[in-house]
């Protein structure tokens, strides 16, 4: 039987091309390449505000953000990269830190001609996004963070794993079985729609067979000791767009994040949505994201 994702991807890629997007592989340095979805018309893109979508640990960039890219590509210069060891992004370097992911994303965007952007980051993408904002403040003008934390400290990690009933993030995020994929999506959703088992099998084969060792290493490098973490002072404008029923990083973690940001972040909550709010309630997510982006760029014009 043909893998359903293998059938879906060409259709999705075709839709992206109709929407004015194309794939581009960017060499960051010898041995390290990042796969991006970028605007097809470079000259037009330079006249638009840039929005960069950073995916979580489950799917690659274009699968995670497909509804948002299609909704925004006409008005904004949209970029959707794959992190290293997701999709078609790869490196022969041994560094697995979120700092290295942030560095590769920033260098890739620079090579694509992006001088300033808004980052939209989900979960792992939000953590890398915070690193980018800290390391490259001239590149990152503003941020929209969905269901994420500034850093995955040991205390945050313990609390999150306890909420979802797992002993490690690798056990949850790198499933080995069909049931593991189903559980991953169920935990990340407010209400997971029924799907036949062969869909979960296809997801397992398509998304979780490759780079398992490297992804384990990425998760190991993600967790930091509480005593070693100090919240940076961010100069960027920051909005939190949260699934109100997220179990992984719940509303308590969201409020803690607001406190770490010294109260400067604005919270937008999507009811009846879990961790994957952008996939679960895409129309509501898109409407709120469009309002946020409009306010950001209107403020920028006034300033």
């Amino acid at each position: 039987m043909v893998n359903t994702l293998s059938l879906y991807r060409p259709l999705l890629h075709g839709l992206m091309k109709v929407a004015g997007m194309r794939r581009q592989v960017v060499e960051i340095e010898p041995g390290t390449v990042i796969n991006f979805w970028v605007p097809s018309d470079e000259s037009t893109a330079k006249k638009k505000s840039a929005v960069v979508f950073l995916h979580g640990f489950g799917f690659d960039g274009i699968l995670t953000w497909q509804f948002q890219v299609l909704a925004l590509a006409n008005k904004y210069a949209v970029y959707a990269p794959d992190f290293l060891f997701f999709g078609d992004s790869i490196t022969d370097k041994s560094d697995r830190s979120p700092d290295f992911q942030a560095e590769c994303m920033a260098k890739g965007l620079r090579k694509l001609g992006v001088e300033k952007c808004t980052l939209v980051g989900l979960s792992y993408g939000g953590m890398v996004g915070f690193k980018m904002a800290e390391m490259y403040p001239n590149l990152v003008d503003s941020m929209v963070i969905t269901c994420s934390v500034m850093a995955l400290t040991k205390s945050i990690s313990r609390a999150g794993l306890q909420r979802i009933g797992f002993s490690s993030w690798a056990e949850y995020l790198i499933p080995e079985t069909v049931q593991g994929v189903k559980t991953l999506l169920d935990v990340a959703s407010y209400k997971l729609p029924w799907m036949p088992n062969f869909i979960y099998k296809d997801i397992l084969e398509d998304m979780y067979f490759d780079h398992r060792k490297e992804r384990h290493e990425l998760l190991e490098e993600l967790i930091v000791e509480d005593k070693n973490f100090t919240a940076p002072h961010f100069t960027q404008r920051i909005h939190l767009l949260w699934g109100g029923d997220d179990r992984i990083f719940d509303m308590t973690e969201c409020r803690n994040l607001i406190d770490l940001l010294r109260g400067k972040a604005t919270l937008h909550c999507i009811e009846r949505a879990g961790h994957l709010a952008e996939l679960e309630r895409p129309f509501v997510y898109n409407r709120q994201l469009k309002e946020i982006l409009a306010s950001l760029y209107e403020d920028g014009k006034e300033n």
Side-chain angles (χ1 to χ4, degrees):
M1 179 181 282
V2 178
N3 186 293
T4 50
L5 276 181
S6 297
L7 292 175
Y8 180 64
R9 283 183 189 278
L11 294 174
L12 178 59
H13 293 179
L15 281 174
M16 290 299 159
K17 290 175 182 176
V18 171
M21 302 290 293
R22 63 180 175 86
R23 290 179 65 184
Q24 182 168 338
V25 175
V26 178
E27 184 180 56
I28 307 303
E29 55 188 76
T32 301
V33 296
I34 301 293
N35 180 67
F36 280 85
W37 279 89
V38 304
S40 299
D41 189 335
E42 294 181 25
S43 60
T44 302
K46 291 178 181 178
K47 302 174 185 176
K48 298 179 179 179
S49 300
V51 179
V52 179
F53 287 99
L54 303 176
H55 65 84
F57 215 86
F59 301 145
D60 62 22
I62 206 63
L63 279 175
T64 300
W65 296 111
Q66 54 187 294
F67 300 116
Q68 289 68 46
V69 173
L70 290 171
L72 296 178
N74 185 53
K75 185 170 183 179
Y76 298 96
V78 172
Y79 299 83
D82 295 333
F83 285 126
L84 293 168
F85 304 113
F86 293 87
D88 294 318
S89 296
I90 194 72
T91 185
D92 59 6
K93 306 296 183 293
S94 60
D95 194 340
R96 303 288 182 260
S97 68
D99 303 64
F100 186 56
Q101 294 274 25
E103 179 186 338
C104 291
M105 292 298 114
K107 287 182 176 178
L109 290 167
R110 293 291 196 200
K111 285 176 177 282
L112 291 168
V114 178
E115 297 180 355
K116 194 175 289 289
C117 67
T118 295
L119 295 182
V120 183
L122 166 70
S123 194
Y124 179 68
M127 298 178 218
V128 176
F130 275 120
K131 281 291 181 186
M132 290 178 66
E134 178 186 359
M135 295 165 65
Y136 305 98
N138 292 331
L139 172 65
V140 181
D141 181 64
S142 52
M143 302 174 70
V144 180
I145 300 296
T146 295
C147 301
S148 187
V149 291
M150 197 179 294
L152 190 59
T153 61
K154 282 197 170 181
S155 60
I156 291 175
S157 177
R158 280 194 301 269
L161 289 170
Q162 185 175 12
R163 279 192 296 271
I164 64 176
F166 281 84
S167 61
S168 72
W169 291 110
E171 181 189 4
Y172 171 58
L173 289 169
I174 313 175
E176 298 180 353
T177 65
V178 169
Q179 183 57 47
V181 175
K182 187 174 183 180
T183 302
L184 185 155
L185 293 174
D186 185 51
V187 167
S189 305
Y190 170 70
K191 186 176 182 180
L192 183 67
W194 180 86
M195 292 185 290
N197 271 353
F198 73 83
I199 298 292
Y200 297 110
K201 178 175 178 291
D202 290 349
I203 293 173
L204 178 67
E205 293 175 354
D206 186 88
M207 302 298 299
Y208 297 106
F209 275 10
D210 296 333
H211 305 304
R212 295 183 63 86
K213 173 179 176 292
E214 292 84 357
R215 292 189 190 183
H216 273 270
E217 293 166 352
L218 289 174
L219 290 172
E220 289 170 5
E221 285 293 315
L222 195 58
I223 299 173
V224 299
E225 296 281 352
D226 287 66
K227 64 182 180 181
N228 295 333
F229 172 68
T230 302
H233 174 68
F234 291 100
T235 59
Q236 293 87 353
R237 295 162 293 172
I238 300 173
H239 291 260
L240 308 182
L241 182 50
W242 222 267
D245 294 281
D246 184 12
R247 284 184 276 172
I248 298 172
F249 298 127
D250 62 8
M251 293 308 297
T252 297
E253 292 296 353
C254 181
R255 287 189 288 271
N256 291 341
L257 179 56
I258 292 173
D259 290 341
L260 278 178
L261 292 166
R262 299 171 175 85
K264 69 174 289 186
T266 303
L267 174 62
H268 312 259
C269 190
I270 300 176
E271 300 300 330
R272 300 186 304 281
H275 194 69
L276 298 175
E278 83 295 342
L279 287 172
E280 198 169 15
R281 301 201 67 191
F283 297 110
V284 178
Y285 189 99
N286 290 353
R287 183 175 69 247
Q288 295 208 28
L289 179 58
K290 287 178 179 179
E291 291 174 358
I292 292 169
L293 293 173
S295 71
L296 287 171
Y297 290 113
E298 275 303 312
D299 289 346
K301 288 177 185 177
E302 291 172 6
N303 294 335

